[in-house]
Amino acid sequence: MALRDLLLQLRNGLTARASDELVVAQLDALKKRIPILYAVLSINTLAVAITHQQVHAVLSRYVPAVLVTLMVARLIHWQRLQTVTIEAAEARRILRRLTPFTAILSSVTLAWAMGLYLIDERLNTDATRHMTQHGHAALFVGLTVISCINLLMHARVPALVTTVFVIPPFALFLLWNGSRVEQAVAINLVLVASAMVYVVFVFARDFEDLVLSRSRLSQMNAYQTRLANTDALTGLANRRRFYGVLEELSQIEAASTVLVIDLDGFKQINDLHGHAIGDEVLREIAVRIARETPDSLCTARIGGDEFAVVFNKAFRDAKVQAYGERLIAACNAPVVLEALTLSVGASVGVYNDCDPKGAAHGRHIERADYALFHAKEAGRNQVAIFRAEHEVQRKRGSHVEQVLRAAKLEEELYVLFQPIVDAHSRQLIGFEALARWNSPVLGQVFPSEFIPIAERSDVIHAVTRSVMNKAVAQASRWPAQISLKVNLSARDLSPPRMLELLEQFEHSGFDAARMSFEVTETALGSLDMILDTVALVKTKGIALAVDDFGIGYSSLSYIHKLKPDLIKIDRSFVSRLGKNDGAEAIIETIVAMSRNVKASCLAEGVEEEAQIDALEALGCDQLQGFAIGYPMSGAEALVLIETGEKPPSG
């Protein structure tokens, strides 16, 4: 059975095609061992030549000289290979050439040794010297084979070829020509060689298993690394990989360009059609972005609907502007999914890092994000490039954030109240509470500056609580028919924070029927996530108003699910009244939508008397703006309510 297994291994070893990994590993091992083999063979050859120098001039001088020269040349050749990285195809070619070369060298060496043996036997009459030289020849052959087997063990075919080409012929030679001692040596050589052949097969098999295990482990590590750095949904690089690339660029202080792409209107697709359709859209957009950025260093999905691209060079503004516009055009193209045709927009923020010396990699994405914010502020579907003035604004924003975090909000925040009137009777019906901040460090800070910073830094909830406390304290002194509206941030819509606000409101004792919470249309985020919060607000009797309506991406279905009590028309439409650009039609549509969901309709940003008449004619229920009344203090609001006079309009 053992012989059968050995023969099977022999057949497999001679006929199987080795893997690339095994071939490279075999050659790497042989590059270190073959120089040693040639050194041993050279020394052995010189030793035999010296002990047989009286036998024959050609065989003891010239033939060894040729053999040693060849061996030294091969030794130098293999020594040089140690410093060279060799690919699998070349390694396979080298190993294939090694086998016939080994066979030829083994045959020549054996023929030389047997020639010395025969000539010495014929010429030498000194029996003692004769036996010594014969023994040296046999020792030379044995050492040669054992050295070859041991040092060629990683590649079993050359080792086996050496054994087959030397041991059987030499053993038969000794059995035919030698004395009993030499015949015993022949038998011993055959036994030792057989055992060594078995060792070769076992070692080669274990070596192959080791290489295979290492290869599998390497593949597994590569797979895990790829998995850890790849976005599972789109196949692009993920946030981790993207930040890794930025860090690598910062370490070598290389110039770079970073583009951040944020999809506009994607959340509405998720709300209306579900996450499965949303995922399909993201996959399609990812393909388009990758197609537009084939020369990028890294193209990644770094957030829900946010992508980023980094190039290892800085572009001129005109070129990167064109790049951004191509990305926007690619994202804007309709996405066709079976029976659905969907569209999303995109905004792009760009940061060109032309002077990267000593720069932290985090600044790339921070500045690109800041540019993206400006692109969205400019009306979406825009490309914004981070510029020097943005850096000034960013540093100002960072300073404002630090001061805001340390601020004593109850002391530094105050509230102004802007009047709201009935569009038909022009009677005062309520006020909107507006947050103001007078910092002892910064002075008066505009809401347009500190509110977005408060939202980004998560201080907004403390701001909302303080504003509501102060507003409710003032509104508690008003007549029951005067309502109060308080603005909420998107962060305030999370269930834990809303529960805090509602608990605070209930402790105030203010009538819930007079209170409205206002949220901007774009701050509503994913509808599914805030429906429970909205329902909780309504169970307390508090009204819900949707502010800035018309500039986001809400649909009739969206509004039907939300069921707001008030829809506020954005000031951008009001300011365009009378300009024949379709603003009247848009307002009329929003009014009709409000009627459809049984909500009131308020127009904000009313600044001219002509707008008041036009809005009343279009069916608006309530009006707010400088033409109605400027924001005022709580004391002024109380005087206005008590006197019944028309609110001051600046």
Side-chain angles (χ1 to χ4, degrees):
M1 191 68 179
L3 178 60
R4 181 182 175 185
D5 292 341
L6 182 62
L7 292 174
L8 183 61
Q9 288 187 28
L10 176 61
R11 187 197 70 183
N12 292 338
L14 293 175
T15 60
R17 178 180 171 85
S19 66
D20 288 347
E21 292 84 358
L22 177 59
V23 168
V24 171
Q26 287 175 331
L27 185 62
D28 285 342
L30 291 176
K31 284 192 295 187
K32 300 180 180 68
R33 291 169 171 263
I34 287 182
I36 299 174
L37 173 62
Y38 281 125
V40 171
L41 292 179
S42 299
I43 293 171
N44 285 350
T45 301
L46 288 173
V48 171
I50 292 171
T51 58
H52 289 75
Q53 60 182 336
Q54 302 300 326
V55 174
H56 192 278
V58 173
L59 290 180
S60 61
R61 297 176 188 175
Y62 301 117
V63 172
V66 172
L67 288 175
V68 170
T69 301
L70 177 62
M71 292 174 187
V72 171
R74 296 299 295 171
L75 184 154
I76 294 171
H77 169 73
W78 280 91
Q79 191 71 29
R80 288 175 177 172
L81 287 181
Q82 292 186 24
T83 61
V84 179
T85 301
I86 301 175
E87 299 296 330
E90 179 64 13
R92 197 181 299 276
R93 189 176 66 83
I94 292 172
L95 290 180
R96 282 176 180 166
R97 288 189 309 184
L98 178 63
T99 301
F101 184 82
T102 303
I104 294 170
L105 184 61
S106 300
S107 300
V108 171
T109 305
L110 176 62
W112 174 65
M114 289 191 298
L116 288 175
Y117 183 100
L118 291 173
I119 294 174
D120 177 67
E121 185 176 26
R122 188 174 69 250
L123 298 178
N124 203 331
T125 57
D126 185 345
T128 302
R129 181 177 177 82
H130 172 73
M131 288 299 298
T132 301
Q133 290 177 330
H134 281 191
H136 193 184
L139 178 64
F140 167 73
V141 173
L143 287 175
T144 297
V145 172
I146 292 173
S147 299
C148 288
I149 290 175
N150 276 284
L151 294 171
L152 295 174
M153 198 172 287
H154 292 83
R156 55 181 160 218
V157 174
L160 184 62
V161 165
T162 300
T163 306
V164 170
F165 274 69
V166 174
I167 294 300
F170 191 66
L172 290 173
F173 177 80
L174 290 180
L175 288 172
W176 184 263
N177 294 291
S179 64
R180 288 187 177 183
V181 173
E182 291 168 334
Q183 290 172 349
V185 169
I187 295 171
N188 192 37
L189 281 174
V190 170
L191 294 175
V192 171
S194 299
M196 293 297 293
V197 166
Y198 176 76
V199 170
V200 165
F201 275 93
V202 173
F203 179 86
R205 180 197 62 201
D206 292 344
F207 181 70
E208 289 177 15
D209 290 343
L210 176 62
V211 171
L212 180 61
S213 297
R214 286 169 52 188
S215 176
R216 287 175 177 170
L217 180 61
S218 177
Q219 291 173 0
M220 185 178 297
N221 288 338
Y223 173 75
Q224 290 176 342
T225 300
R226 186 168 62 254
L227 197 64
N229 289 284
T230 303
D231 176 58
L233 177 63
T234 63
L236 298 179
N238 59 12
R239 187 182 189 89
R240 179 176 181 269
R241 175 58 186 154
F242 186 77
Y243 273 86
V245 171
L246 291 182
E247 185 171 7
E248 291 167 9
L249 287 173
S250 69
Q251 287 176 351
I252 62 175
E253 296 185 341
S256 60
T257 298
V258 175
L259 296 88
V260 178
I261 306 106
D262 188 72
L263 302 185
D264 300 324
F266 174 74
K267 290 179 180 178
Q268 283 66 34
I269 291 176
N270 265 346
D271 292 336
L272 293 174
H273 303 288
H275 292 286
I277 295 297
D279 289 348
E280 289 294 327
V281 171
L282 286 176
R283 277 191 282 266
E284 173 60 24
I285 295 297
V287 170
R288 296 178 184 181
I289 292 175
R291 189 167 56 231
E292 293 295 330
T293 57
D295 53 343
S296 71
L297 190 60
C298 181
T299 299
R301 179 186 176 219
I302 60 173
D305 59 350
E306 192 171 18
F307 298 84
V309 182
V310 59
F311 296 90
N312 57 346
K313 54 186 173 183
F315 293 109
R316 291 182 178 178
D317 285 358
K319 184 171 183 178
V320 80
Q321 178 78 26
Y323 230 127
E325 289 173 358
R326 289 206 306 272
L327 287 171
I328 290 173
C331 294
N332 283 347
V335 178
V336 180
L337 301 173
E338 297 179 357
L340 289 173
T341 300
L342 305 171
S343 295
V344 293
S347 300
V348 178
V350 180
Y351 174 58
N352 255 328
D353 191 6
C354 303
D355 184 22
K357 292 184 178 180
H361 70 279
R363 81 173 187 180
H364 299 79
I365 199 72
E366 289 174 3
R367 287 161 172 75
D369 271 335
Y370 195 85
L372 176 65
F373 171 77
H374 280 272
K376 287 185 172 293
E377 287 288 300
R380 304 172 188 270
N381 274 336
Q382 303 286 326
V383 179
I385 302 173
F386 189 88
R387 304 187 186 280
E389 59 267 26
H390 292 149
E391 182 65 17
V392 174
Q393 296 169 9
R394 200 182 70 86
K395 288 181 178 178
R396 161 72 179 180
S398 178
H399 183 48
V400 171
E401 180 180 341
Q402 293 176 9
V403 175
L404 183 60
R405 286 183 180 278
K408 298 177 181 179
L409 296 179
E410 288 301 321
E411 298 176 10
E412 299 176 25
L413 284 179
Y414 65 96
V415 180
L416 296 182
F417 299 89
Q418 186 166 29
I420 299 170
V421 300
D422 182 275
H424 306 292
S425 67
R426 312 292 168 87
Q427 293 296 310
L428 180 68
I429 58 175
F431 291 90
E432 179 180 353
L434 304 174
R436 296 293 185 265
W437 180 28
N438 187 15
S439 167
V441 177
L442 302 171
Q444 190 71 36
V445 185
F446 291 110
S448 58
E449 182 177 18
F450 80 83
I451 292 296
I453 292 173
E455 289 181 336
R456 291 198 302 270
S457 60
D458 209 23
V459 181
I460 191 64
H461 190 56
V463 171
T464 302
R465 293 185 62 174
S466 178
V467 168
M468 191 170 73
N469 272 338
K470 296 175 185 295
V472 166
Q474 291 289 336
S476 297
R477 303 163 60 188
W478 302 343
Q481 71 273 17
I482 304 298
S483 64
L484 173 66
K485 291 179 173 57
V486 175
N487 291 287
L488 299 186
S489 161
R491 293 179 179 269
D492 295 322
L493 296 175
S494 66
R497 292 190 166 179
M498 182 55 71
L499 286 172
E500 285 183 37
L501 284 175
L502 291 176
E503 183 178 358
Q504 174 185 325
F505 178 75
E506 288 175 349
H507 287 163
S508 71
F510 192 74
D511 183 6
R514 299 170 57 196
M515 171 65 80
S516 293
F517 284 162
E518 288 192 9
V519 291
T520 61
E521 179 191 5
T522 52
L524 289 174
S526 178
L527 181 61
D528 293 335
M529 295 176 62
I530 60 101
L531 280 178
D532 291 342
T533 304
V534 170
L536 181 63
V537 169
K538 291 194 172 186
T539 59
K540 301 296 184 181
I542 300 173
L544 179 72
V546 176
D547 198 2
D548 300 334
F549 188 83
I551 63 171
Y553 294 89
S554 292
S555 66
L556 183 59
S557 171
Y558 190 99
I559 294 298
H560 267 289
K561 290 181 181 179
L562 193 62
K563 294 182 173 61
D565 300 285
L566 177 72
I567 295 177
K568 297 181 72 172
I569 302 172
D570 185 67
R571 64 183 67 246
S572 61
F573 300 113
V574 175
S575 65
R576 285 155 45 193
L577 282 171
K579 296 182 180 179
N580 296 321
D581 62 353
E584 286 85 354
I586 294 173
I587 293 173
E588 200 167 18
T589 300
I590 297 173
V591 170
M593 181 182 291
S594 303
R595 299 281 186 271
N596 188 276
V597 296
K598 298 181 174 55
S600 299
C601 185
L602 183 151
E604 61 181 354
V606 182
E607 299 183 358
E608 301 172 4
E609 287 293 330
Q611 292 172 347
I612 296 176
D613 295 332
L615 290 166
E616 180 185 4
L618 290 170
C620 289
D621 300 303
Q622 302 173 23
L623 305 174
Q624 178 183 358
F626 293 161
I628 305 301
Y630 280 81
M632 59 190 67
S633 67
E636 291 172 330
L638 185 58
V639 169
L640 175 63
I641 294 169
E642 290 175 345
T643 61
E645 296 178 359
K646 181 180 178 181
S649 55

